[in-house]
Amino acid sequence: MSSESLDTLNLLKTLVAFPTVSRDSNLALIDWIEAYVTRFGATCRRTYNAEKTKGNLFVTIGPADVPGVILSGHTDVVPVDGQDWATDPFAVAEKEGRLYGRGTADMKSFLAVILAYVPRFAAAKLKKPVHLAFSHDEEVGCIGVCSLIEDMAHLPVIPEMCIVGEPTLMRPMLAHKGKVNVRVRVKGWECHSSLAPTGVNAIEYAAELIAFLKALARRKSQEGPFDTMFDIAHTTVHTGLIEGGTALNIVPQDCTFDFEIRAVPADDRMGMLEEIKAYVAAELEPPMKAVHPACGFSWEVLSSVPGSDTDPNDPIVHMVSHLSGANSYGKVAFGTEAGRFQTRWNMPTVICGPGDIDQAHKPDEYIELSQIRACEGFIARLLERMAA
């Protein structure tokens, strides 16, 4: 391995050793990164969640008064609870050209590469700045990065583009689907099951809405809109969790379920949610309230992530294609912070990073060493471009 790869491997081992599961604080890792980058003269801005238990770090290397590029990645990882790992998930294990550990694919390898290049960025006479954005709570709805993005209003100049280093096998991805996660609570009217017609069965009314959601999903799969650059070319609707009832001989008073919408850029996920609510108000709630006025549906948006969609003719696409050596580009179904950068600042954004998303969130998560080398080459070429 090259000297750069050795730096990256040591940094990756350090990053993975911080167990930054989304439910826990990431501040120890943010402290470590800030101490590391400031050794090389980088300037930093911190933002936090409301409780000040989690943080983001925005790092600037080079001239701050001209537009530059953001390299963005999240520090949180998904839990390992209940997963059967062959090795310690928070200690990098190397075997047969692969590095195993939680976050190696999603996405601490990208963070390790850009951190390995901090001293090189600092030593170069950059004509344009390189900004590094380290965020929290991406895995629970891309919510942590919001305060970082808003804080960018205090920068002397807004960066001109953003590269999000999610795992794409170093192939440029120009878009991702928008997503909204919704929790529905159904309030019925409890009674003995022998008198079922005098009650309101919350589970059955929930089932009627779930059937409507399934019909909506079928409609999208048949009528579109379609975008064939996605693996799944249409908007999807999916019900994933449901809970309700107390006993078989009691008409259930309560039922709760969660569903999601993942919308292609040409579709309107929030408009779809309003269509769903309108169906409930017109078709389901009237007969429920005829039995008792306390019955009905309530809604909670658990998270909402805007989609991203960068024009293939935008200069960032040509640049990232050149840096990666890729001769094609695509789009991804999973959400990233790209949509938030693009929505807030109208910033052209491309998703391109090392590793395979198929390895993310699994036991024995890993990244190929060849992917790390490819990412190092990408960042090395970016350095040359920013210094030219």
Side-chain angles (χ1 to χ4, degrees):
M1 296 177 67
S2 67
S3 60
E4 290 88 349
S5 298
L6 291 173
D7 291 342
T8 302
L9 180 54
N10 290 332
L11 286 163
L12 180 59
K13 288 178 178 178
T14 298
L15 298 179
V16 170
F18 286 94
T20 49
V21 176
S22 300
R23 65 184 174 224
D24 300 321
S25 174
N26 73 331
L27 289 181
L29 177 54
I30 292 295
D31 289 343
W32 186 91
I33 294 174
E34 184 170 14
Y36 170 82
V37 299
T38 53
R39 284 166 39 201
F40 302 100
T43 60
C44 299
R45 296 185 65 90
R46 279 210 200 197
T47 49
Y48 296 90
N49 64 345
E51 299 77 19
K52 296 286 184 75
T53 56
K54 300 178 182 180
N56 306 304
L57 190 67
F58 190 85
V59 179
T60 298
I61 307 168
D65 57 349
V66 294
V69 61
I70 301 173
L71 303 176
S72 181
H74 60 85
T75 61
D76 60 316
V77 297
V78 297
V80 298
D81 308 49
Q83 293 187 336
D84 184 17
W85 283 72
T87 61
D88 181 349
F90 296 109
V92 173
E94 183 175 354
K95 183 180 179 182
E96 297 179 350
R98 294 174 175 175
L99 301 174
Y100 292 85
R102 175 56 86 224
T104 51
D106 184 20
M107 56 178 295
K108 288 183 174 178
S109 290
F110 177 75
L111 304 187
V113 171
I114 62 178
L115 287 172
Y117 270 84
V118 165
R120 297 164 179 81
F121 283 128
K125 297 182 186 292
L126 295 179
K127 300 291 196 307
K128 293 185 175 182
V130 174
H131 307 281
L132 313 180
F134 302 92
S135 59
H136 67 86
D137 281 353
E138 188 272 349
E139 297 290 5
V140 291
C142 293
I143 57 177
V145 75
C146 294
S147 60
L148 179 151
I149 291 173
E150 288 302 316
D151 186 67
M152 286 168 53
H154 299 288
L155 297 176
V157 179
I158 297 298
E160 61 185 348
M161 61 182 68
C162 178
I163 300 169
V164 177
E166 289 278 1
T168 67
L169 293 170
M170 295 307 301
R171 183 180 173 220
M173 298 291 167
L174 309 192
H176 67 73
K177 291 182 177 182
K179 181 181 177 183
V180 59
N181 292 344
V182 182
R183 177 160 294 159
V184 181
R185 293 181 173 88
V186 187
K187 178 65 69 175
W189 190 249
E190 196 172 70
C191 68
H192 194 282
S193 62
S194 64
L195 303 173
T198 67
V200 176
N201 190 315
I203 290 177
E204 290 180 355
Y205 275 96
E208 287 196 65
L209 176 53
I210 292 170
F212 179 83
L213 295 173
K214 182 60 179 176
L216 180 58
R218 288 196 187 99
R219 190 181 88 204
K220 291 296 178 179
S221 69
Q222 294 166 2
E223 301 176 8
F226 299 103
D227 188 333
T228 56
M229 291 190 69
F230 287 102
D231 289 341
I232 304 298
H234 52 80
T235 295
T236 59
V237 186
H238 157 75
T239 302
L241 293 170
I242 187 167
E243 181 179 3
T246 54
L248 182 57
N249 62 352
I250 301 174
V251 171
Q253 179 172 278
D254 296 292
C255 184
T256 301
F257 67 93
D258 296 354
F259 73 91
E260 69 169 26
I261 300 170
R262 292 181 184 262
V264 296
D267 218 340
D268 179 3
R269 71 192 191 286
M270 303 310 290
M272 291 175 62
L273 179 57
E274 291 308 309
E275 177 185 349
I276 294 163
K277 289 182 177 181
Y279 163 77
V280 168
E283 302 294 334
L284 301 185
E285 286 189 322
M288 298 172 72
K289 292 183 180 296
V291 176
H292 196 283
C295 298
F297 286 69
S298 61
W299 311 82
E300 179 186 358
V301 174
L302 301 176
S303 65
S304 179
V305 181
S308 74
D309 195 15
T310 295
D311 186 333
N313 296 313
D314 193 281
I316 189 177
V317 178
H318 175 76
M319 185 188 84
V320 173
S321 297
H322 172 74
L323 296 177
S324 65
N327 56 14
S328 65
Y329 49 79
K331 300 181 179 182
V332 294
F334 58 86
T336 80
E337 64 263 35
R340 296 210 183 275
F341 282 104
Q342 196 165 54
T343 299
R344 177 63 179 88
W345 294 111
N346 195 29
M347 184 180 298
T349 304
V350 170
I351 307 155
C352 186
D356 189 340
I357 195 63
D358 284 346
Q359 298 306 319
H361 302 187
K362 293 180 179 179
D364 297 329
E365 176 183 349
Y366 70 83
I367 189 170
E368 302 279 355
L369 281 168
S370 59
Q371 281 292 298
I372 291 179
R373 296 191 188 102
C375 187
E376 289 171 340
F378 179 98
I379 299 299
R381 289 185 284 275
L382 175 65
L383 187 157
E384 293 174 359
R385 187 182 186 96
M386 304 304 279

